């Protein structure tokens, strides 16, 4: 049920394209990921359009607060999952592994003698039985 409701909220969301437009807001927690839609609008600029209520209608204010919180949670989950998939497919994470392995490969390429366990043991005075 929660999945259907959150998908419905996402379908109703709208994006503000201009900076500083009336009622525009950004979701700061997901802005650093710089995930954009097909028109180049950052998903952090998406807002959920609802009636925020006023003094004679406090029920609308309470409902819009709940909907805004649910929308922020939905956007956080969706944008984070899109960012993780993009990061994994981009292979930028391989730099964390490639840098140390490149140093190992450079060390091996400089002509250092390959180390065999038998050589290490014979240097310490012990030897393997033949």
């Amino acid at each position: 049920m929660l999945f259907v409701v959150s998908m419905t909220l996402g379908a109703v969301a709208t994006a503000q394209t201009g900076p500083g437009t009336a009622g525009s807001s950004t979701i700061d927690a997901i802005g650093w990921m710089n995930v954009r839609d097909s028109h180049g609008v950052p998903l952090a600029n998406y807002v959920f359009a609802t009636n925020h209520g006023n003094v004679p209608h406090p029920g609308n204010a309470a409902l819009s607060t709940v909907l805004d919180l649910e929308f922020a949670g939905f956007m956080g989950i969706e944008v984070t999952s899109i960012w993780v998939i993009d990061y994994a497919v981009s292979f930028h994470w391989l730099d964390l592994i490639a840098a140390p392995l490149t140093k190992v490969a450079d060390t091996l390429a400089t002509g250092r003698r390959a180390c065999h366990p038998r050589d290490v043991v014979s240097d310490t005075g012990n030897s393997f039985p033949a």
Side-chain angles (χ1 to χ4, degrees), residues 23-73:
S24 69
S25 67
T26 60
I27 304 172
D28 294 330
I30 62 173
W32 66 271
M33 293 185 234
N34 200 25
V35 176
R36 297 178 178 271
D37 66 6
S38 59
H39 294 286
V41 178
L43 293 186
N45 290 351
Y46 276 40
V47 295
F48 185 77
T50 184
N51 181 4
H52 291 288
N54 52 21
V55 175
H57 302 287
N60 288 346
L63 181 62
S64 73
T65 301
V66 170
L67 290 174
D68 284 343
L69 289 173
E70 188 172 355
F71 177 70

Side-chain angles (χ1 to χ4, degrees), residues 14-128:
T14 60
Q16 300 290 329
T17 58
T21 58
S24 69
S25 67
T26 60
I27 304 172
D28 294 330
I30 62 173
W32 66 271
M33 293 185 234
N34 200 25
V35 176
R36 297 178 178 271
D37 66 6
S38 59
H39 294 286
V41 178
L43 293 186
N45 290 351
Y46 276 40
V47 295
F48 185 77
T50 184
N51 181 4
H52 291 288
N54 52 21
V55 175
H57 302 287
N60 288 346
L63 181 62
S64 73
T65 301
V66 170
L67 290 174
D68 284 343
L69 289 173
E70 188 172 355
F71 177 70
F74 168 77
M75 289 299 289
I77 292 169
E78 295 301 314
V79 172
T80 303
S81 63
I82 291 170
W83 178 82
V84 166
I85 291 170
D86 182 51
Y87 187 71
V89 172
S90 70
F91 294 110
H92 287 289
W93 56 272
L94 281 177
D95 292 337
L96 297 171
I97 299 169
L101 290 179
T102 301
K103 291 180 181 178
V104 171
D106 290 342
T107 302
L108 292 175
T110 59
R112 286 192 175 175
R113 187 178 77 148
C115 190
H116 191 274
R118 181 180 52 216
D119 298 333
V120 173
V121 173
S122 65
D123 289 342
T124 60
N126 298 330
S127 61
F128 288 115

